[in-house]
mmCIF file of all heavy atoms in Angstrom:
data_model
loop_
_atom_site.group_PDB
_atom_site.id
_atom_site.type_symbol
_atom_site.label_atom_id
_atom_site.label_comp_id
_atom_site.label_asym_id
_atom_site.label_seq_id
_atom_site.Cartn_x
_atom_site.Cartn_y
_atom_site.Cartn_z
ATOM 1 N N ARG A 133 99.573 98.848 99.736
ATOM 2 C CA ARG A 133 100.048 98.656 98.366
ATOM 3 C C ARG A 133 98.852 98.356 97.469
ATOM 4 O O ARG A 133 98.427 97.202 97.360
ATOM 5 C CB ARG A 133 101.026 97.489 98.360
ATOM 6 C CG ARG A 133 101.780 97.299 97.071
ATOM 7 C CD ARG A 133 102.515 95.960 97.103
ATOM 8 N NE ARG A 133 103.706 95.984 96.244
ATOM 9 C CZ ARG A 133 104.369 94.892 95.891
ATOM 10 N NH1 ARG A 133 103.971 93.698 96.327
ATOM 11 N NH2 ARG A 133 105.426 94.984 95.122
ATOM 12 N N GLY A 134 98.318 99.393 96.831
ATOM 13 C CA GLY A 134 97.094 99.278 96.042
ATOM 14 C C GLY A 134 96.051 100.233 96.589
ATOM 15 O O GLY A 134 96.015 100.469 97.798
ATOM 16 N N PRO A 135 95.223 100.814 95.720
ATOM 17 C CA PRO A 135 94.302 101.869 96.141
ATOM 18 C C PRO A 135 93.278 101.424 97.177
ATOM 19 O O PRO A 135 92.938 102.194 98.090
ATOM 20 C CB PRO A 135 93.621 102.286 94.841
ATOM 21 C CG PRO A 135 93.852 101.168 93.880
ATOM 22 C CD PRO A 135 95.139 100.545 94.277
ATOM 23 N N ALA A 136 92.765 100.199 97.068
ATOM 24 C CA ALA A 136 91.772 99.727 98.035
ATOM 25 C C ALA A 136 92.449 99.322 99.343
ATOM 26 O O ALA A 136 91.907 99.520 100.435
ATOM 27 C CB ALA A 136 90.985 98.553 97.462
ATOM 28 N N ARG A 137 93.645 98.779 99.238
ATOM 29 C CA ARG A 137 94.390 98.421 100.445
ATOM 30 C C ARG A 137 94.781 99.671 101.223
ATOM 31 O O ARG A 137 94.740 99.687 102.460
ATOM 32 C CB ARG A 137 95.662 97.660 100.060
ATOM 33 C CG ARG A 137 95.414 96.288 99.479
ATOM 34 C CD ARG A 137 96.661 95.854 98.737
ATOM 35 N NE ARG A 137 96.694 94.436 98.430
ATOM 36 C CZ ARG A 137 97.702 93.867 97.779
ATOM 37 N NH1 ARG A 137 98.729 94.592 97.368
ATOM 38 N NH2 ARG A 137 97.684 92.580 97.532
ATOM 39 N N LEU A 138 95.172 100.717 100.499
ATOM 40 C CA LEU A 138 95.531 101.974 101.142
ATOM 41 C C LEU A 138 94.349 102.507 101.951
ATOM 42 O O LEU A 138 94.510 102.938 103.101
ATOM 43 C CB LEU A 138 95.982 102.980 100.076
ATOM 44 C CG LEU A 138 96.426 104.371 100.521
ATOM 45 C CD1 LEU A 138 97.547 104.881 99.623
ATOM 46 C CD2 LEU A 138 95.277 105.361 100.505
ATOM 47 N N CYS A 139 93.170 102.470 101.368
ATOM 48 C CA CYS A 139 91.976 102.934 102.088
ATOM 49 C C CYS A 139 91.683 102.054 103.290
ATOM 50 O O CYS A 139 91.307 102.548 104.358
ATOM 51 C CB CYS A 139 90.767 102.955 101.149
ATOM 52 S SG CYS A 139 90.722 104.402 100.088
ATOM 53 N N GLN A 140 91.855 100.765 103.138
ATOM 54 C CA GLN A 140 91.577 99.860 104.248
ATOM 55 C C GLN A 140 92.560 100.105 105.403
ATOM 56 O O GLN A 140 92.164 100.151 106.560
ATOM 57 C CB GLN A 140 91.658 98.418 103.765
ATOM 58 C CG GLN A 140 91.052 97.426 104.748
ATOM 59 C CD GLN A 140 91.071 96.006 104.229
ATOM 60 O OE1 GLN A 140 91.737 95.692 103.248
ATOM 61 N NE2 GLN A 140 90.334 95.133 104.892
ATOM 62 N N ALA A 141 93.831 100.276 105.069
ATOM 63 C CA ALA A 141 94.838 100.513 106.106
ATOM 64 C C ALA A 141 94.557 101.809 106.861
ATOM 65 O O ALA A 141 94.777 101.904 108.068
ATOM 66 C CB ALA A 141 96.233 100.557 105.483
ATOM 67 N N LEU A 142 94.040 102.820 106.132
ATOM 68 C CA LEU A 142 93.771 104.115 106.747
ATOM 69 C C LEU A 142 92.370 104.192 107.353
ATOM 70 O O LEU A 142 92.033 105.171 108.011
ATOM 71 C CB LEU A 142 93.933 105.231 105.707
ATOM 72 C CG LEU A 142 95.372 105.636 105.377
ATOM 73 C CD1 LEU A 142 95.440 106.360 104.047
ATOM 74 C CD2 LEU A 142 95.962 106.508 106.475
ATOM 75 N N GLY A 143 91.543 103.190 107.094
ATOM 76 C CA GLY A 143 90.174 103.225 107.602
ATOM 77 C C GLY A 143 89.306 104.240 106.884
ATOM 78 O O GLY A 143 88.447 104.884 107.494
ATOM 79 N N ILE A 144 89.515 104.387 105.582
ATOM 80 C CA ILE A 144 88.754 105.363 104.793
ATOM 81 C C ILE A 144 87.543 104.699 104.158
ATOM 82 O O ILE A 144 87.675 103.653 103.513
ATOM 83 C CB ILE A 144 89.653 105.971 103.686
ATOM 84 C CG1 ILE A 144 90.740 106.841 104.324
ATOM 85 C CG2 ILE A 144 88.825 106.778 102.690
ATOM 86 C CD1 ILE A 144 91.767 107.353 103.335
ATOM 87 N N ASP A 145 86.367 105.318 104.341
ATOM 88 C CA ASP A 145 85.161 104.858 103.656
ATOM 89 C C ASP A 145 84.373 106.077 103.169
ATOM 90 O O ASP A 145 84.845 107.211 103.276
ATOM 91 C CB ASP A 145 84.316 103.944 104.546
ATOM 92 C CG ASP A 145 83.825 104.654 105.793
ATOM 93 O OD1 ASP A 145 83.730 105.898 105.784
ATOM 94 O OD2 ASP A 145 83.534 103.973 106.789
ATOM 95 N N ARG A 146 83.162 105.835 102.696
ATOM 96 C CA ARG A 146 82.410 106.928 102.064
ATOM 97 C C ARG A 146 82.016 108.027 103.041
ATOM 98 O O ARG A 146 81.607 109.109 102.625
ATOM 99 C CB ARG A 146 81.160 106.387 101.357
ATOM 100 C CG ARG A 146 81.440 105.843 99.983
ATOM 101 C CD ARG A 146 80.428 106.337 98.928
ATOM 102 N NE ARG A 146 80.852 107.562 98.262
ATOM 103 C CZ ARG A 146 80.052 108.331 97.536
ATOM 104 N NH1 ARG A 146 78.803 108.019 97.386
ATOM 105 N NH2 ARG A 146 80.502 109.435 96.970
ATOM 106 N N SER A 147 82.106 107.756 104.340
ATOM 107 C CA SER A 147 81.783 108.824 105.285
ATOM 108 C C SER A 147 82.815 109.951 105.182
ATOM 109 O O SER A 147 82.570 111.061 105.655
ATOM 110 C CB SER A 147 81.732 108.275 106.713
ATOM 111 O OG SER A 147 83.030 107.946 107.166
#
Side-chain angles (χ1 to χ4, degrees):
Chain A
R133 190 191 207 193
R137 292 161 165 180
L138 181 146
C139 280
Q140 194 177 13
L142 282 160
I144 292 173
D145 62 24
R146 277 226 91 195
S147 71

